[in-house]
Structure formats: C-alpha cells, structure tokens
Amino acid sequence: MKWTNDRSGNVDDRRGSGGGGMLVGGGLGTLIIAAIIFFLGGDPSAILSSGTGSAGPATEQRDLTSEELKVRDFVEMVTAENEQTWSKIFQENGMQYEAAKVVMFEDVTQSGCGTAQAAMGPFYCPADQTVYMDMSFFKELEQRFGAQVTEFSIAYVMAHEIGHHVQTLLGTTQKVNQLRNSGRYSQTDMNRVSVATELQADFYAGVWAKQTDNRENILEPGDIESAISAAEAVGDDNIQKRSQGYVNQEGFTHGSSAQRKEWFMKGYNTGDIRQGDTFNALLN
C-alpha cells in the first residue's frame, strides 16, 4: 500500500500512557464470546457491560517504540483518507460527513460503550462515534485465523469499522437497534439483520478502497487480495470451524467468508454507495 502525505488529527493514541491492566473476574468465557461474536464490528456494549470484574494491576507509563510511532503515523494516514473519501461521497449525495474518532490502545481502555479490551478486536462504538483499535489483533488475525496481514489488511479493517460509522450517520444503526429492542423478532431473525449490517460495512470498505485509489493511487499488487484474506478469515463459518469444529448458519452474525468477500468486492468493483443495500438483498 502506498502512503500519502495526509494525516488526521482525530487519532487518540493511548498506548504507553499507563492505566488499568486486563480485567480480572469477568471470566475467560466472556473474552472468547466477545472475540467470536463481535469480531470486526458492531456495538459490544452488551457483552462489555455484563462483566463484573475489576481492573487488574496498573500498567506503567512508557515511551512508544519507533515501530509503534510508525504504526500511529499509518493509522493517522488511513483515518485521513477515510475522512477525505467519505466527505466527498457524502457531498456528492447532498449530505455532510462528520468524521469518526479513532482510539489506539493496548490491553484495556474506556469507551462510550463500556470497557474496551484487546480480546474484543477492533470495534466501533456508536455512543461516542469512535473506532477502538488494539493493534495486537492483527497478530491474532494472522496466527489464529490464517489471514494474510499487510498494511492494507489494517486499512481494510479500519475502513470496515468506519463503515459502521457511516451507518450511524445514515441512520441504519439506529433502525437496527429499534428492531432489536422491539422484542418482536427472534434471535435467529436478529442474527440475519446483524449479518446484513456487517456485510454492508464490508461493502462500504470496498467503496472506500475504490474511491480512495481513484483519488490517491494507494493500491499496490496484492493489496486487494490481502483485504479479501482478512475478510474471509473472520467469516462466521471459518471462526465456527476453528472454535467449535462445525458450522451453524443460524448462529451467523457477520456473514460467511464467501459473503464477506462478495460484498467487499461489490463495493470495490462499483465504487457506488447506492449499490450496498444488503438488507433487501439478504432479508427479502
């Protein structure tokens, strides 16, 4: 992935600042469930708020390494390219884009949705319109889930999470929450709605990749393939096979590996936000 000269001021790097350690008492099961159910998106407040543990020993403050500073520089760049691309798309459709914030942290931090933990993976919190990123997730993505991790893999994950921010700005998140809170739908029904929500975020990530490449020529050979690898690695079927040894489609919350690839590529091939109605495509 080619770097640009753009940088965002909306990145809050909390690494090395000290603070609480990993939560104690919430139980390993909570972390595993959170990691599986909420990998790459969604509002984790339900699983976070259910924990009853307290913070572990405080971590000491430390200086960031040169590699960590480079990673922050990269995250600031990708955040800026999301801001520019989505501002352009919104303007073309008669709307105004409001930028999301991005928080980089290690181990644990506080979010508008509760306590954020590294085991959650990257997620977007609608309550404070912020993407939370613990970069250790990408080692997990490669080692446990078999993804090909490159700089553009990280960019794809960030674009997916900011895709959830786009859904919040467009009112999609609020409509999904109304369905969930109505009590009229079964868990299986809401799982299907969740899949449509996550696949739309994948579609938006593809739109971002296409439009940003058109503007900045950021893509290099192999970049799209690495994004697809990351998307397929966290497909529900792949995660279920690795965690429980079999696939249960009724338990899908994010979509299969094939679906994640399909909708990311549809976003990339069309570059058109209007082509991403996953809800009509999947629920009717």
Side-chain angles (χ1 to χ4, degrees), residues 106-258:
E106 55 190 357
D107 294 337
V108 64
T109 194
Q110 291 302 312
S111 80
C113 294
T115 302
Q117 304 171 58
M120 297 293 299
F123 68 89
Y124 171 71
C125 174
D128 57 11
Q129 298 192 4
T130 300
V131 173
Y132 289 85
M133 302 277 296
D134 185 307
M135 305 308 290
S136 64
F137 163 78
F138 295 97
K139 293 180 181 178
E140 194 86 350
L141 193 63
E142 190 168 40
Q143 295 171 359
R144 287 190 59 196
F145 295 96
Q148 171 193 354
V149 175
T150 66
E151 287 181 344
F152 195 72
S153 304
I154 299 173
Y156 152 70
V157 171
M158 290 183 61
H160 173 100
E161 299 307 334
I162 292 176
H164 286 304
H165 177 61
V166 171
Q167 290 174 322
T168 296
L169 296 181
L170 296 178
T172 305
T173 304
Q174 294 85 332
K175 291 178 181 177
V176 169
N177 285 338
Q178 287 173 1
L179 292 177
R180 182 177 293 112
N181 294 331
S182 70
R184 292 180 294 169
Y185 301 94
S186 67
Q187 185 62 53
T188 299
D189 290 335
M190 289 312 305
N191 284 350
R192 294 174 62 214
V193 171
S194 177
V195 167
T197 304
E198 295 299 329
L199 293 180
Q200 188 176 67
D202 279 331
F203 172 85
Y204 287 159
V207 170
W208 170 80
K210 182 70 169 183
Q211 295 244 9
T212 304
D213 189 52
N214 288 345
R215 180 170 51 80
E216 293 282 2
N217 295 314
I218 60 170
L219 293 178
E220 295 181 308
D223 281 345
I224 293 300
E225 289 78 9
S226 71
I228 291 172
S229 174
E232 291 180 329
V234 289
D236 283 319
D237 49 347
N238 187 42
I239 291 177
Q240 287 182 352
K241 284 178 184 177
R242 291 174 181 270
S243 63
Q244 64 189 26
Y246 62 91
V247 174
N248 173 22
Q249 290 189 1
E250 288 190 357
F252 283 9
T253 57
H254 286 64
S256 68
S257 296

